[in-house]
Amino acid sequence: DFGDGTAPTAFSTTATAAHVYANAGVYNASLTVTAADGPGSSTQFFQGVSSPSVAGTAKSSTSVAQGPNNRLWVVNIDNNTVSVFNSATRAKLQEVAVGSAPRSVALASNGTAWVTNKGSASFTVINPTTFAATTFALPRASAPYGIVFDASNNAYVALEATGQVAKLSPAGAVVSTVN
């Protein structure tokens, strides 16, 4: 019984069973095994099912981002840098200084890496070819954390200390803030 309301699987002599869940969720599944000589055993367990992956590049931020050209961007919270690796060869390409206490990195559609710097209330934009970095100030003590992009390449930065979200233009200017 897969726990999702479908009919329980009929008895079978094969050692495996397969099932496709229609929806994401946590299901209480059960398994009953019967030996050839008669005694059997049952167990129940929770089966977690996630939503299918979305095609394309992720638009949210984490401390790691995979970009085009096998670029892997890694935020180094402990030394105020971002490391850039070639994910195919595992070679470190560059370590780029950013602001204080970097937290998240997200990739814009033009390939630039945008890094939020919580400690210095700023964000840094890194060119993916030259690794040149430009840092932009955000409101004092705003503690920027997460960053995402919309289809027009505007960035939205969560300002943790103020409870606001700042909308940034593709050029890096603060367009507006929302409470």
Side-chain angles (χ1 to χ4, degrees):
D1 181 1
F2 292 97
D4 62 351
T6 58
T9 303
F11 174 80
S12 173
T13 58
T14 62
T16 61
H19 183 72
V20 176
Y21 287 89
N23 298 303
V26 178
Y27 299 95
N28 186 8
S30 62
L31 173 67
T32 301
V33 178
T34 305
D37 63 358
S41 178
S42 292
T43 187
Q44 288 189 334
F45 58 94
F46 290 105
Q47 176 65 49
V49 177
S50 64
S51 297
S53 298
V54 176
T57 304
K59 302 295 183 209
S60 63
S61 61
T62 66
S63 59
V64 178
Q66 175 74 47
N69 301 321
N70 295 318
R71 297 285 164 98
L72 182 67
W73 302 81
V74 181
V75 173
N76 301 313
I77 295 170
D78 58 343
N79 70 349
N80 304 326
T81 63
V82 170
S83 295
V84 187
F85 296 91
N86 180 312
S87 60
T89 65
R90 299 183 186 158
K92 183 177 182 181
L93 303 175
Q94 192 76 21
E95 189 157 340
V96 182
V98 295
S100 172
R103 288 297 184 256
S104 300
V105 59
L107 302 178
S109 62
N110 65 2
T112 56
W114 290 47
V115 181
T116 58
N117 306 307
K118 185 175 179 178
S120 57
S122 64
F123 66 96
T124 302
V125 179
I126 305 170
N127 181 299
T129 306
T130 64
F131 303 112
T134 305
T135 299
F136 299 84
L138 288 167
R140 184 175 179 273
S142 59
Y145 202 93
I147 182 169
V148 296
F149 291 95
D150 66 16
S152 300
N153 220 30
N154 294 301
Y156 294 84
V157 177
L159 304 177
E160 195 173 54
T162 64
Q164 297 175 313
V165 174
K167 179 180 180 181
L168 311 174
S169 72
V174 176
V175 175
S176 62
T177 56
V178 177
N179 290 330

